Amino acid sequence: MKKSTTKPTPLAIALAKDKQPRATPIDVFKLARKLYLQGKHISIGELAKKLNVSRGTVYRWVGSKDLLLDEIFCSLIKPTFEQAIAATPGHGVGHVVGVHRHFMTTLLSFPALQKFIQNETNYAFRILTNTNSAVSKLIVSLTADHLRQQEAQGHLHLSAPPEELAEFFILANQGLIYSNTISGGSPAIEKACALIRMLLSGRSPSAPDPQTE
């Protein structure tokens, strides 16, 4: 008996493909985030290949590799900052300085970030010090909210709107911290903390952190 040589119709092919799970923008984010946390290089081409979609589709979904990494960093920054607030005792200037010391120390000891800086130094520097990135804006927003809360509770007397102060010392601190780290030196966390203290209290960099102000 002869085997049927009838080719499947376009409809049959489409229906067969329709049974396969289709990748979504969220799938791209989840896969890229997983690779980043494993310390692996993120490639738009590799993401497209693993998810069985075209490079053009991935670019259309995420915009660019820079923007994709920005989303990954944002997903990690918010819980890290919130944990730093919860873990830091006291209030006022000393509390704020302590929160940022905790936050920066945790961030820079994160294995995935260390791997990223080690493997893609120049690219990492450009991404991490981009003042227009979503992650920079998120850190400024989180900091401003924290300052506003401390002021509302009577623990701080701010000399400028919280957004302005947050933007100034966070964006300045990025240069202090990441430039030292990427160039092979020790992170300038204490210099960054001294800057925060001066901006909030006008104290000398060598003065101890006040715990209640």
Side-chain angles (χ1 to χ4, degrees):
M1 185 175 179
K2 272 188 174 182
K3 290 183 179 179
S4 174
T5 57
T6 305
K7 292 183 179 180
T9 64
L11 174 60
I13 294 171
L15 289 172
K17 288 182 178 179
D18 196 52
K19 292 177 183 178
Q20 300 173 3
R22 294 179 177 177
T24 68
I26 296 298
D27 291 324
V28 175
F29 170 77
K30 288 181 177 179
L31 177 57
R33 191 177 189 272
K34 179 181 177 182
L35 293 173
Y36 172 76
L37 291 174
Q38 292 174 345
K40 296 180 180 177
H41 175 72
I42 294 175
S43 161
I44 296 295
E46 284 301 311
L47 291 173
K49 185 177 179 180
K50 288 179 182 293
L51 294 171
N52 197 30
V53 295
S54 69
R55 284 168 55 93
T57 296
V58 175
Y59 274 115
R60 179 165 54 82
W61 284 345
V62 306
S64 68
K65 179 180 173 179
D66 289 11
L67 293 176
L68 176 57
L69 279 170
D70 224 15
E71 295 293 352
I72 293 170
F73 292 150
C74 284
S75 74
L76 299 169
I77 287 294
K78 191 172 187 292
T80 302
F81 193 89
E82 291 172 346
Q83 197 277 331
I85 292 176
T88 305
H91 50 75
V93 175
H95 171 69
V96 173
V97 172
V99 165
H100 285 275
R101 180 182 288 110
H102 188 292
F103 173 66
M104 290 182 283
T105 301
T106 301
L107 205 61
L108 289 171
S109 64
F110 197 44
L113 182 61
Q114 290 180 341
K115 198 77 173 177
F116 179 49
I117 292 173
Q118 177 185 344
N119 293 342
E120 303 180 66
T121 304
N122 292 334
Y123 181 61
F125 182 76
R126 180 168 65 80
I127 293 293
L128 295 170
T129 58
N130 179 6
T131 58
N132 293 315
S133 68
V135 71
S136 288
K137 292 176 181 177
L138 174 61
I139 297 174
V140 169
S141 175
L142 292 170
T143 300
D145 287 345
H146 186 217
L147 292 175
R148 190 178 293 109
Q149 181 186 55
Q150 288 289 304
E151 184 178 44
Q153 293 173 354
H155 303 313
L156 283 179
H157 303 286
L158 302 178
S159 59
E163 289 81 7
E164 289 184 16
L165 287 171
E167 184 175 57
F168 184 83
F169 68 67
I170 291 302
L171 301 187
N173 288 347
Q174 284 181 338
L176 278 173
I177 296 165
Y178 292 128
S179 60
N180 270 34
T181 304
I182 290 172
S183 64
S186 300
I189 291 177
E190 289 310 316
K191 287 183 180 179
C193 287
L195 175 59
I196 294 171
R197 183 168 57 245
M198 283 191 294
L199 286 168
L200 293 179
S201 66
R203 290 173 180 266
S204 160
S206 60
D209 290 343
Q211 290 303 309
T212 57
E213 285 202 9

